[in-house]
Amino acid sequence: MICRLCPRMCGAERTEDAGGGVCGMGTLPVLARAALHFDEEPVISVPGSGSGAVFFSGCQLKCAFCQNYGISHDGFGKRVSVARLKEIYQDLIDQGAANINLVSATHFLPAALESLEDAPGVPVIWNSSGYERAESIRLLEGKVNVYLPDFKYALSGPAGKYSGAADYAEFAIPAITEMLRQTGPVELDENGAIVRGTIIRHLILPGQLENTRRVLDVIRERFDGAYVSLMAQYVPMGRACDYPEINRPITQDEYDEAVDYMLDLGLEDGFVQELEAADSKYTPPFEISRFTSSKPSKFAFASDEKSIRRPTTSFVRRCLIRHTKD
């Protein structure tokens, strides 16, 4: 195939097992991990169940600081057939997965679509960098129940510098608009698990608070009905050492400013990640010897009224922060 699936539109010729495009992948899926994952937002990981996360190798965005650098840039993983991919979905469901969570599958879109011809029986999540073509997202309508895009940049400067994609927002905004059109507002079941909707993630980068503010402004102005997930887990990885200004975790002051700005905008539906999540232990291990489950970690919904500013879980529901804001 001549590939124009992502905003790079590089026109690379891709065969089943080889490709010379930005993603560096052929058309058959390459997987780095498939396992129950317990470190997502609680409506996704669902305490007691876990999310059936399938991590695809390769990426069209190539962020210098990527925390999954080994699979996004270096292509670590194992090639599988579409038939095997379907079997992996079922295996995860048999283990108790609350959903099937496809992580960075954009460059394998035709194979992903084929694997979803028969609905797996649990919600399907499209977990992506946000750097998508709306035309490609439109092909997923009726097959994906939940979209989990990053919205990394609203400013072209950092987008170009750290991800080689100065046009990031030009594509991410219409792509997320299409996602939200398909799903409508977030819907949860009686157990608090997401069954439909869009959750927009934003990772706070060190020294880039203006970018964070502009991202949150766009979400407030354009994406009514979506949840927001403000993430603080940045750890310098990949080639972050080439950029001294981002070769550090975010500070307490940066974290507080970002959280306060989000709440001042009235963005109260969603999640705020604790600052203590900036730890490499939250980066999942990638292995191809087998596809299996991983040991769960705890999450808490903000259902109690205790005045705890930063609890010991990786994500907290928004009202726990809102009720204790100074």
Side-chain angles (χ1 to χ4, degrees):
M1 66 175 287
I2 303 300
C3 189
R4 293 184 175 82
L5 292 173
C6 82
R8 302 290 188 186
M9 291 184 278
C10 60
E13 184 174 356
R14 298 170 64 192
T15 64
E16 285 191 348
D17 57 2
V22 175
C23 67
M25 290 286 147
T27 59
L28 278 181
V30 177
L31 306 186
R33 178 180 171 82
L36 295 183
H37 193 41
F38 296 86
D39 289 325
E40 306 279 36
E41 291 82 349
V43 298
I44 293 173
S45 285
V46 188
S49 297
S51 178
V54 182
F55 288 84
F56 293 81
S57 300
C59 181
Q60 72 272 22
L61 192 53
K62 305 290 189 184
C63 300
F65 52 82
C66 182
Q67 297 184 5
N68 296 334
Y69 199 93
I71 67 171
S72 64
H73 289 64
D74 297 337
F76 174 86
K78 179 179 181 180
R79 187 172 292 108
V80 300
S81 67
V82 172
R84 177 62 183 133
L85 189 57
K86 292 179 180 180
E87 291 174 352
I88 289 168
Y89 298 164
Q90 189 58 54
D91 181 57
L92 291 168
I93 293 168
D94 291 344
Q95 293 180 49
N99 47 65
I100 295 299
N101 185 349
L102 306 182
V103 185
S104 298
T106 300
H107 46 297
F108 298 118
L109 179 61
L113 288 169
E114 186 179 347
S115 75
L116 297 171
E117 285 179 353
D118 298 316
V122 295
V124 174
I125 298 175
W126 191 258
N127 183 337
S128 87
S129 69
Y131 192 50
E132 305 264 20
R133 294 185 66 196
E135 295 87 345
S136 294
I137 294 300
R138 203 165 291 126
L139 298 174
L140 292 163
E141 187 165 11
K143 298 184 182 300
V144 167
N145 309 97
V146 177
Y147 286 100
L148 185 62
D150 293 338
F151 188 4
K152 295 178 184 292
Y153 308 107
L155 301 180
S156 60
K161 184 173 186 179
Y162 305 127
S163 298
D167 59 357
Y168 178 90
E170 296 173 30
F171 284 94
I173 291 172
I176 297 172
T177 299
E178 172 61 21
M179 294 174 188
L180 191 55
R181 183 197 68 78
Q182 291 180 24
T183 67
V186 170
E187 298 176 17
L188 307 178
D189 68 13
E190 64 276 7
N191 297 314
I194 192 166
V195 295
R196 191 170 184 84
T198 299
I199 301 176
I200 304 170
R201 286 175 164 176
H202 175 69
L203 177 66
I204 307 166
L205 295 176
Q208 300 297 321
L209 277 178
E210 183 61 21
N211 179 63
T212 289
R213 285 190 284 264
R214 297 292 77 79
V215 164
L216 294 172
D217 286 343
V218 173
I219 294 173
R220 177 68 179 85
E221 293 165 4
R222 293 176 176 258
F223 300 133
D224 184 46
Y227 275 18
V228 184
S229 184
L230 187 64
M231 304 178 75
Q233 68 184 39
Y234 179 84
V235 177
M237 290 187 175
R239 294 187 295 106
C241 58
D242 294 340
Y243 303 90
E245 70 276 15
I246 63 168
N247 193 30
R248 61 171 176 84
I250 66 172
T251 66
Q252 184 71 61
D253 285 346
E254 288 172 323
Y255 174 80
D256 289 340
E257 283 191 45
V259 172
D260 287 346
Y261 193 82
M262 172 181 167
L263 297 174
D264 288 343
L265 285 176
L267 293 172
E268 297 177 340
D269 289 324
F271 309 89
V272 175
Q273 197 175 39
E274 63 174 357
L275 186 57
E276 287 78 3
D279 192 311
S280 59
K281 70 183 180 182
Y282 292 111
T283 301
F286 296 108
E287 49 81 28
I288 58 176
S289 60
R290 63 193 181 100
F291 298 117
T292 184
S293 62
S294 57
K295 184 178 179 180
S297 59
K298 289 185 177 180
F299 288 89
F301 288 89
S303 55
D304 62 44
E305 295 298 327
K306 294 180 180 179
S307 296
I308 304 173
R309 177 65 190 238
R310 294 179 182 87
T312 57
T313 55
S314 189
F315 280 94
V316 292
R317 283 299 299 273
R318 49 86 178 172
C319 52
L320 187 58
I321 298 293
R322 183 183 62 182
H323 290 334
T324 59
K325 181 184 172 186
D326 297 334

